[in-house]
Amino acid sequence: MPVSVLAEGAVPGAQVPSHLTRIPVAEISAGMDCSRKSVQGRVVSKGPLVSPGGDNFVLKTVLQDSHSDSSSINVVLLGALAKEFDRAVSQGDVVVASGFTVGSSPTHHKDQLHRCNLQLSGEHACLFVSRPPAPPTGATLKRHSAQSAEEALHQLPTQGSSRTRKTPKYTYTGLDQLKLGVVVNVYGVVVFCKQPFRSRGTDYCSTLKITDQSNQIVWCSIFCKNPVDHPVIFQVGDIIRLHRVKVKPFNESVSLVNTFGFSAVTVSCADDGPLEPRTTSGSFHWDQEDVRKVQELRGWAATGQAAVLPAAVPLSKVEPRSYFDLTCQLLAKAPLDATCTLLRVWDGTRCRHPLLEVWVEPGMMEAGPALEPRDAQGLVVNVLAYDNHVESARQLQPGDFLKIFNLRALPAASSKAEGLAGSQMKEADASHLTFHLHGGTAFGRGIRVLPKSSPDVQKLMRDMEPLLQRGEPSDEEVLEVWCTPPEFPAGAEQVQISSERRCSHDAQQVTLSELKHSSSGRFHHVRVQLKSFEPQRLHQALKLYCSKCCSMCDVPDEEQLAAVFAASSVKPGCSGPPWTCSGQADLPSGSPGSPARALSIHLSTQLVCEGKTKELLLLEGATLQETSHLASAYSNVIPVTSSGGHMTLLDLSAPFLFRGRKRFYGCRRCSSATLREPYVKGQDSIDEKSVSEVLGVELLQFVLLMKLQLQDATDTLEVFLWRDAELFFGVSAEEAATNQEAQDVVSQTMDSLCPPGGSADTQPWLQVCVASYLDGDGKRTCHQICHTSVVRAPSAGAALP
DNA sequence: GATTAGGCTTCG
């Protein structure tokens, strides 16, 4: 037994054979005879188990001499010992090593640890491990109880091939306690931040400066291949937790650099703000201790000792020549040339200075489905993103909410007029402003997409709401609706049907002919009948929409889905991830000819531990019918399959989650789905939103999309019914996807508005608000019904005052 | 576990 683990709290070295003499790390030298020597130290860094091939394993760890903080040495473990060490030893454990050989450390110059290393392999190598007990101080009481819960979890009787993994216990190092070469976990307040930028190496780099109550300011450099894996920092002042960062020398000071297993969690700095940890790792440890840490740092930062928060500047407060951070929504973008991309953005406030217009070549503007705000004068500004920001701009989608760091408001006179990327200025007034995001990353210059849930975006949306004309109807409009005489004879239909406009703008009613001849980018009020509509088969009106990439696709039909599930059900099974316990559920034979069979099921160990066994089920190898069946018994069912011996999610052509009768799909383009633990201790609830976030799935929204042909005495007009389709029918698309009643409402509404075989004489007249706008490439005017809802009255005239 | 990284703008 090369690795021997002693009981928790046992005296380190208690069972070490007496013939071994313990030597301090500092006294180790190359070529010394170590056959009867031992070294004792705390594991301050534990590398991953690396397998160069076959049964060959290598693991590197760093031991810090228990009696001398300054002596740390690299230890290389080979073969079975490496594997055993990986399984049995954690960072923080105290290890006594014997039977090693001493070599020279090839990384000595870089990590500044001992110039020798210890190599352990073969039958003579031996390790004794002792685990320090949790300290019983007041500050760690909560840790202690959390640990008890973890132990309880270990002792949990589980079914089937149950497996649990020890949740790591984290200790945090103060920023004034950092020791070179040690892998640490830290908490801090961000006082400077550069959003991820392309380094000269293979990775993106983000650099931060963080501080804590010790007032030390420490540089952190995070290197990750992918910008989305970097810490999610929205502003200076955010609280950040870094796990597994290594203290390294750089430019004559220490810096923290991510190492294997690194994770970052950030929380907003607002003292009273929501405590929503943001992370790019799928599952992360977060408990009461973290909440306490954050509150402590928030309180400290609020005293003003940490850093001065940059004042958020809305467009209405921008002064010429100033630098500022802008929270905004992207409406459209256009590449101007290789070094400059135009972003048209707004934040719901009106800039008080005249704005420069930028001419864009026809067809180059990429706009989203979002309607531009009414009366855009002063609301929509042009941002010119240069050089390295062109690449970031390419990743953005119209509709995205953004934070642009270190934007500069520049009067036209200060920028070369002709130089605007070869375009021409329409009004070269010297004082007209454009907004420049200069090349480079100085002062944290960069762009970040904000999630809709962020408090800044929530505020932005509140500011924008009235400008998108979703207000309550005015008195006049209410009057207009009430006084509209019934347009078709009472009794012709059992249900009197008409429509109400729900907008508050003061557009005059126009005819369809007039509407067709007016410019786009505005709202029109029309009185029309519905001549025809498509699709006639209403289930085809139901689509899945991705609000991130704005793509839309059909909802897969049952046959397609059944095939996807059937294909996954014949794959050989696999064991579940470490956070699950597994078992089997017997299913009665569903239909004649299909035998009763057992399904592999996997439950979250944490949830089982909390007695919430019906909350979540990972279901492996089930058919669509079986999955639907079990979805009635479990709140959340995630279908899984095996791939290369590992458990994975099904292809995203299938729903990634079943909740009762509801099925949720993910965007194949925008998701990078991985099976991760969808529940962490203390989480309020599990729903499609939390599951999709954890799994890295971009949740698709059910929407209704129809094309209607409207008519009046003057003309006909094709319009879409999409953005406000739910308002129009008074049912949600999600309901329409699962609920027969909701489907009936939609089909009955269409039948009433456009009775089969009906003539223009008998069809109802509708008051409708129509938006005219340019489509994505700006070439074609489209129309969409908005702010309008269908009204069903029991009989004509009965409701009139 | 190779390498990448410390601001501090102003050009367009």
mmCIF file of all heavy atoms in Angstrom, chain A residues 556 560-561 563-565 567-568 571 639-643 648-658 664-668 671 673 697:
data_model
loop_
_atom_site.group_PDB
_atom_site.id
_atom_site.type_symbol
_atom_site.label_atom_id
_atom_site.label_comp_id
_atom_site.label_asym_id
_atom_site.label_seq_id
_atom_site.Cartn_x
_atom_site.Cartn_y
_atom_site.Cartn_z
ATOM 1 N N PRO A 556 -39.550 20.621 -33.743
ATOM 2 C CA PRO A 556 -39.500 19.276 -34.333
ATOM 3 C C PRO A 556 -40.794 18.517 -34.061
ATOM 4 O O PRO A 556 -41.375 18.659 -32.985
ATOM 5 C CB PRO A 556 -38.320 18.610 -33.612
ATOM 6 C CG PRO A 556 -37.699 19.619 -32.758
ATOM 7 C CD PRO A 556 -38.520 20.842 -32.719
ATOM 8 N N GLN A 560 -39.873 13.017 -35.610
ATOM 9 C CA GLN A 560 -38.446 13.358 -35.598
ATOM 10 C C GLN A 560 -37.854 13.108 -34.216
ATOM 11 O O GLN A 560 -36.785 12.534 -34.064
ATOM 12 C CB GLN A 560 -38.246 14.849 -35.922
ATOM 13 C CG GLN A 560 -38.385 15.242 -37.370
ATOM 14 C CD GLN A 560 -38.408 16.765 -37.479
ATOM 15 O OE1 GLN A 560 -39.410 17.392 -37.154
ATOM 16 N NE2 GLN A 560 -37.312 17.336 -37.934
ATOM 17 N N LEU A 561 -38.596 13.598 -33.202
ATOM 18 C CA LEU A 561 -38.099 13.482 -31.835
ATOM 19 C C LEU A 561 -37.973 12.031 -31.406
ATOM 20 O O LEU A 561 -36.971 11.626 -30.822
ATOM 21 C CB LEU A 561 -39.051 14.178 -30.866
ATOM 22 C CG LEU A 561 -38.974 15.697 -30.816
ATOM 23 C CD1 LEU A 561 -39.862 16.205 -29.709
ATOM 24 C CD2 LEU A 561 -37.539 16.133 -30.588
ATOM 25 N N ALA A 563 -37.380 9.555 -33.152
ATOM 26 C CA ALA A 563 -36.214 8.949 -33.797
ATOM 27 C C ALA A 563 -34.927 9.302 -33.053
ATOM 28 O O ALA A 563 -34.056 8.463 -32.864
ATOM 29 C CB ALA A 563 -36.134 9.402 -35.246
ATOM 30 N N VAL A 564 -34.824 10.561 -32.616
ATOM 31 C CA VAL A 564 -33.623 10.976 -31.880
ATOM 32 C C VAL A 564 -33.503 10.190 -30.578
ATOM 33 O O VAL A 564 -32.435 9.691 -30.224
ATOM 34 C CB VAL A 564 -33.670 12.488 -31.572
ATOM 35 C CG1 VAL A 564 -32.469 12.898 -30.741
ATOM 36 C CG2 VAL A 564 -33.718 13.297 -32.860
ATOM 37 N N PHE A 565 -34.628 10.056 -29.872
ATOM 38 C CA PHE A 565 -34.605 9.319 -28.612
ATOM 39 C C PHE A 565 -34.320 7.838 -28.843
ATOM 40 O O PHE A 565 -33.575 7.213 -28.093
ATOM 41 C CB PHE A 565 -35.922 9.498 -27.851
ATOM 42 C CG PHE A 565 -35.976 10.785 -27.085
ATOM 43 C CD1 PHE A 565 -36.298 11.974 -27.720
ATOM 44 C CD2 PHE A 565 -35.665 10.819 -25.740
ATOM 45 C CE1 PHE A 565 -36.322 13.176 -27.026
ATOM 46 C CE2 PHE A 565 -35.687 12.013 -25.023
ATOM 47 C CZ PHE A 565 -36.020 13.189 -25.675
ATOM 48 N N ALA A 567 -32.621 6.519 -31.197
ATOM 49 C CA ALA A 567 -31.209 6.325 -31.531
ATOM 50 C C ALA A 567 -30.350 6.340 -30.270
ATOM 51 O O ALA A 567 -29.385 5.596 -30.153
ATOM 52 C CB ALA A 567 -30.757 7.412 -32.490
ATOM 53 N N SER A 568 -30.717 7.181 -29.308
ATOM 54 C CA SER A 568 -29.896 7.271 -28.094
ATOM 55 C C SER A 568 -30.191 6.097 -27.156
ATOM 56 O O SER A 568 -29.366 5.743 -26.332
ATOM 57 C CB SER A 568 -30.149 8.594 -27.380
ATOM 58 O OG SER A 568 -31.265 8.482 -26.537
ATOM 59 N N LYS A 571 -27.789 2.934 -27.277
ATOM 60 C CA LYS A 571 -26.367 3.016 -26.937
ATOM 61 C C LYS A 571 -26.103 2.323 -25.600
ATOM 62 O O LYS A 571 -26.965 2.328 -24.728
ATOM 63 C CB LYS A 571 -25.947 4.488 -26.826
ATOM 64 C CG LYS A 571 -25.922 5.188 -28.159
ATOM 65 C CD LYS A 571 -25.210 6.499 -28.019
ATOM 66 C CE LYS A 571 -25.202 7.256 -29.329
ATOM 67 N NZ LYS A 571 -24.613 8.573 -29.168
ATOM 68 N N PRO A 639 -32.928 14.353 -20.483
ATOM 69 C CA PRO A 639 -32.544 13.125 -21.169
ATOM 70 C C PRO A 639 -31.039 13.106 -21.429
ATOM 71 O O PRO A 639 -30.473 14.126 -21.823
ATOM 72 C CB PRO A 639 -33.312 13.182 -22.496
ATOM 73 C CG PRO A 639 -33.979 14.500 -22.552
ATOM 74 C CD PRO A 639 -33.665 15.283 -21.335
ATOM 75 N N VAL A 640 -30.404 11.970 -21.171
ATOM 76 C CA VAL A 640 -28.962 11.865 -21.391
ATOM 77 C C VAL A 640 -28.667 10.582 -22.157
ATOM 78 O O VAL A 640 -29.512 9.691 -22.264
ATOM 79 C CB VAL A 640 -28.174 11.853 -20.059
ATOM 80 C CG1 VAL A 640 -28.258 13.184 -19.366
ATOM 81 C CG2 VAL A 640 -28.664 10.741 -19.136
ATOM 82 N N THR A 641 -27.464 10.525 -22.672
ATOM 83 C CA THR A 641 -27.034 9.328 -23.376
ATOM 84 C C THR A 641 -25.551 9.155 -23.106
ATOM 85 O O THR A 641 -24.959 9.959 -22.389
ATOM 86 C CB THR A 641 -27.346 9.443 -24.883
ATOM 87 O OG1 THR A 641 -27.022 8.214 -25.519
ATOM 88 C CG2 THR A 641 -26.528 10.560 -25.527
ATOM 89 N N SER A 642 -24.969 8.065 -23.642
ATOM 90 C CA SER A 642 -23.544 7.907 -23.405
ATOM 91 C C SER A 642 -22.795 8.111 -24.705
ATOM 92 O O SER A 642 -23.285 7.786 -25.785
ATOM 93 C CB SER A 642 -23.247 6.525 -22.826
ATOM 94 O OG SER A 642 -23.552 5.549 -23.782
ATOM 95 N N SER A 643 -21.639 8.694 -24.556
ATOM 96 C CA SER A 643 -20.811 8.945 -25.718
ATOM 97 C C SER A 643 -19.366 8.740 -25.284
ATOM 98 O O SER A 643 -18.894 9.428 -24.384
ATOM 99 C CB SER A 643 -21.062 10.368 -26.208
ATOM 100 O OG SER A 643 -20.067 10.731 -27.126
ATOM 101 N N THR A 648 -23.532 12.203 -21.615
ATOM 102 C CA THR A 648 -23.670 13.522 -22.256
ATOM 103 C C THR A 648 -25.141 13.823 -22.471
ATOM 104 O O THR A 648 -25.997 12.964 -22.294
ATOM 105 C CB THR A 648 -22.998 13.551 -23.645
ATOM 106 O OG1 THR A 648 -23.674 12.588 -24.473
ATOM 107 C CG2 THR A 648 -21.534 13.221 -23.582
ATOM 108 N N LEU A 649 -25.387 15.049 -22.869
ATOM 109 C CA LEU A 649 -26.744 15.419 -23.243
ATOM 110 C C LEU A 649 -27.033 14.864 -24.627
ATOM 111 O O LEU A 649 -26.113 14.561 -25.388
ATOM 112 C CB LEU A 649 -26.861 16.953 -23.298
ATOM 113 C CG LEU A 649 -26.667 17.667 -21.976
ATOM 114 C CD1 LEU A 649 -26.566 19.158 -22.221
ATOM 115 C CD2 LEU A 649 -27.831 17.368 -21.047
ATOM 116 N N LEU A 650 -28.306 14.773 -24.949
ATOM 117 C CA LEU A 650 -28.659 14.379 -26.308
ATOM 118 C C LEU A 650 -28.335 15.525 -27.254
ATOM 119 O O LEU A 650 -28.111 16.656 -26.825
ATOM 120 C CB LEU A 650 -30.165 14.076 -26.383
ATOM 121 C CG LEU A 650 -30.565 12.611 -26.249
ATOM 122 C CD1 LEU A 650 -30.091 12.037 -24.937
ATOM 123 C CD2 LEU A 650 -32.062 12.459 -26.365
ATOM 124 N N ASP A 651 -28.336 15.222 -28.500
ATOM 125 C CA ASP A 651 -28.198 16.240 -29.535
ATOM 126 C C ASP A 651 -29.266 17.313 -29.308
ATOM 127 O O ASP A 651 -30.372 17.001 -28.882
ATOM 128 C CB ASP A 651 -28.403 15.540 -30.877
ATOM 129 C CG ASP A 651 -28.372 16.512 -32.020
ATOM 130 O OD1 ASP A 651 -27.368 17.219 -32.158
ATOM 131 O OD2 ASP A 651 -29.372 16.582 -32.734
ATOM 132 N N LEU A 652 -28.933 18.559 -29.593
ATOM 133 C CA LEU A 652 -29.884 19.637 -29.284
ATOM 134 C C LEU A 652 -31.085 19.674 -30.232
ATOM 135 O O LEU A 652 -31.936 20.560 -30.115
ATOM 136 C CB LEU A 652 -29.178 20.982 -29.253
ATOM 137 C CG LEU A 652 -28.416 21.270 -27.945
ATOM 138 C CD1 LEU A 652 -27.735 22.612 -28.003
ATOM 139 C CD2 LEU A 652 -29.347 21.210 -26.737
ATOM 140 N N SER A 653 -31.169 18.729 -31.151
ATOM 141 C CA SER A 653 -32.409 18.652 -31.935
ATOM 142 C C SER A 653 -33.523 18.105 -31.051
ATOM 143 O O SER A 653 -34.694 18.214 -31.380
ATOM 144 C CB SER A 653 -32.211 17.776 -33.169
ATOM 145 O OG SER A 653 -31.758 16.502 -32.766
ATOM 146 N N ALA A 654 -33.148 17.525 -29.914
ATOM 147 C CA ALA A 654 -34.143 17.049 -28.943
ATOM 148 C C ALA A 654 -34.218 18.046 -27.797
ATOM 149 O O ALA A 654 -33.280 18.801 -27.569
ATOM 150 C CB ALA A 654 -33.711 15.696 -28.410
ATOM 151 N N PRO A 655 -35.331 18.060 -27.068
ATOM 152 C CA PRO A 655 -35.402 18.959 -25.907
ATOM 153 C C PRO A 655 -34.322 18.562 -24.898
ATOM 154 O O PRO A 655 -34.071 17.372 -24.713
ATOM 155 C CB PRO A 655 -36.790 18.689 -25.317
ATOM 156 C CG PRO A 655 -37.551 17.970 -26.360
ATOM 157 C CD PRO A 655 -36.557 17.264 -27.221
ATOM 158 N N PHE A 656 -33.688 19.544 -24.280
ATOM 159 C CA PHE A 656 -32.685 19.206 -23.274
ATOM 160 C C PHE A 656 -33.332 19.073 -21.902
ATOM 161 O O PHE A 656 -32.714 18.597 -20.963
ATOM 162 C CB PHE A 656 -31.569 20.261 -23.221
ATOM 163 C CG PHE A 656 -32.012 21.604 -22.705
ATOM 164 C CD1 PHE A 656 -31.884 21.930 -21.361
ATOM 165 C CD2 PHE A 656 -32.579 22.536 -23.553
ATOM 166 C CE1 PHE A 656 -32.306 23.152 -20.877
ATOM 167 C CE2 PHE A 656 -33.004 23.770 -23.076
ATOM 168 C CZ PHE A 656 -32.871 24.072 -21.748
ATOM 169 N N LEU A 657 -34.607 19.478 -21.821
ATOM 170 C CA LEU A 657 -35.295 19.435 -20.534
ATOM 171 C C LEU A 657 -36.789 19.238 -20.731
ATOM 172 O O LEU A 657 -37.403 19.847 -21.609
ATOM 173 C CB LEU A 657 -35.040 20.758 -19.789
ATOM 174 C CG LEU A 657 -35.760 20.957 -18.459
ATOM 175 C CD1 LEU A 657 -35.201 20.008 -17.407
ATOM 176 C CD2 LEU A 657 -35.625 22.393 -17.972
ATOM 177 N N PHE A 658 -37.355 18.369 -19.895
ATOM 178 C CA PHE A 658 -38.805 18.192 -19.843
ATOM 179 C C PHE A 658 -39.274 18.686 -18.483
ATOM 180 O O PHE A 658 -38.713 18.308 -17.459
ATOM 181 C CB PHE A 658 -39.175 16.710 -19.976
ATOM 182 C CG PHE A 658 -38.998 16.148 -21.361
ATOM 183 C CD1 PHE A 658 -37.739 15.988 -21.909
ATOM 184 C CD2 PHE A 658 -40.109 15.766 -22.112
ATOM 185 C CE1 PHE A 658 -37.568 15.460 -23.179
ATOM 186 C CE2 PHE A 658 -39.955 15.231 -23.387
ATOM 187 C CZ PHE A 658 -38.687 15.087 -23.923
ATOM 188 N N PHE A 664 -38.240 21.940 -23.407
ATOM 189 C CA PHE A 664 -37.391 23.108 -23.674
ATOM 190 C C PHE A 664 -36.222 22.730 -24.578
ATOM 191 O O PHE A 664 -35.579 21.701 -24.384
ATOM 192 C CB PHE A 664 -36.892 23.707 -22.362
ATOM 193 C CG PHE A 664 -38.023 24.244 -21.530
ATOM 194 C CD1 PHE A 664 -38.610 23.454 -20.548
ATOM 195 C CD2 PHE A 664 -38.539 25.506 -21.768
ATOM 196 C CE1 PHE A 664 -39.681 23.921 -19.803
ATOM 197 C CE2 PHE A 664 -39.607 25.985 -21.026
ATOM 198 C CZ PHE A 664 -40.185 25.200 -20.040
ATOM 199 N N TYR A 665 -36.021 23.603 -25.548
ATOM 200 C CA TYR A 665 -34.983 23.342 -26.550
ATOM 201 C C TYR A 665 -33.857 24.374 -26.429
ATOM 202 O O TYR A 665 -34.059 25.474 -25.912
ATOM 203 C CB TYR A 665 -35.583 23.464 -27.955
ATOM 204 C CG TYR A 665 -36.603 22.414 -28.285
ATOM 205 C CD1 TYR A 665 -37.941 22.558 -27.916
ATOM 206 C CD2 TYR A 665 -36.236 21.261 -28.988
ATOM 207 C CE1 TYR A 665 -38.893 21.600 -28.233
ATOM 208 C CE2 TYR A 665 -37.177 20.299 -29.302
ATOM 209 C CZ TYR A 665 -38.500 20.472 -28.930
ATOM 210 O OH TYR A 665 -39.442 19.518 -29.235
ATOM 211 N N GLY A 666 -32.693 24.002 -26.956
ATOM 212 C CA GLY A 666 -31.554 24.928 -26.970
ATOM 213 C C GLY A 666 -31.128 25.250 -28.383
ATOM 214 O O GLY A 666 -31.377 24.480 -29.311
ATOM 215 N N CYS A 667 -30.483 26.407 -28.524
ATOM 216 C CA CYS A 667 -30.025 26.834 -29.848
ATOM 217 C C CYS A 667 -28.759 26.056 -30.207
ATOM 218 O O CYS A 667 -27.786 26.055 -29.467
ATOM 219 C CB CYS A 667 -29.724 28.330 -29.847
ATOM 220 S SG CYS A 667 -29.123 28.911 -31.441
ATOM 221 N N ARG A 668 -28.795 25.424 -31.370
ATOM 222 C CA ARG A 668 -27.641 24.607 -31.764
ATOM 223 C C ARG A 668 -26.452 25.483 -32.120
ATOM 224 O O ARG A 668 -25.315 25.070 -32.019
ATOM 225 C CB ARG A 668 -28.019 23.711 -32.940
ATOM 226 C CG ARG A 668 -28.808 22.509 -32.464
ATOM 227 C CD ARG A 668 -28.773 21.402 -33.467
ATOM 228 N NE ARG A 668 -29.987 21.466 -34.287
ATOM 229 C CZ ARG A 668 -30.285 20.548 -35.185
ATOM 230 N NH1 ARG A 668 -29.474 19.547 -35.400
ATOM 231 N NH2 ARG A 668 -31.391 20.655 -35.875
ATOM 232 N N SER A 671 -25.286 27.369 -28.364
ATOM 233 C CA SER A 671 -25.036 26.624 -27.127
ATOM 234 C C SER A 671 -23.700 25.911 -27.204
ATOM 235 O O SER A 671 -23.278 25.493 -28.281
ATOM 236 C CB SER A 671 -26.120 25.565 -26.914
ATOM 237 O OG SER A 671 -27.397 26.153 -26.958
ATOM 238 N N ALA A 673 -23.098 22.974 -25.082
ATOM 239 C CA ALA A 673 -23.733 22.216 -24.009
ATOM 240 C C ALA A 673 -22.807 21.173 -23.418
ATOM 241 O O ALA A 673 -22.114 20.471 -24.136
ATOM 242 C CB ALA A 673 -24.995 21.543 -24.549
ATOM 243 N N VAL A 697 -26.579 25.937 -22.309
ATOM 244 C CA VAL A 697 -27.542 25.882 -23.419
ATOM 245 C C VAL A 697 -28.212 27.238 -23.569
ATOM 246 O O VAL A 697 -28.675 27.816 -22.586
ATOM 247 C CB VAL A 697 -28.613 24.800 -23.131
ATOM 248 C CG1 VAL A 697 -29.739 24.887 -24.133
ATOM 249 C CG2 VAL A 697 -27.986 23.420 -23.151
#
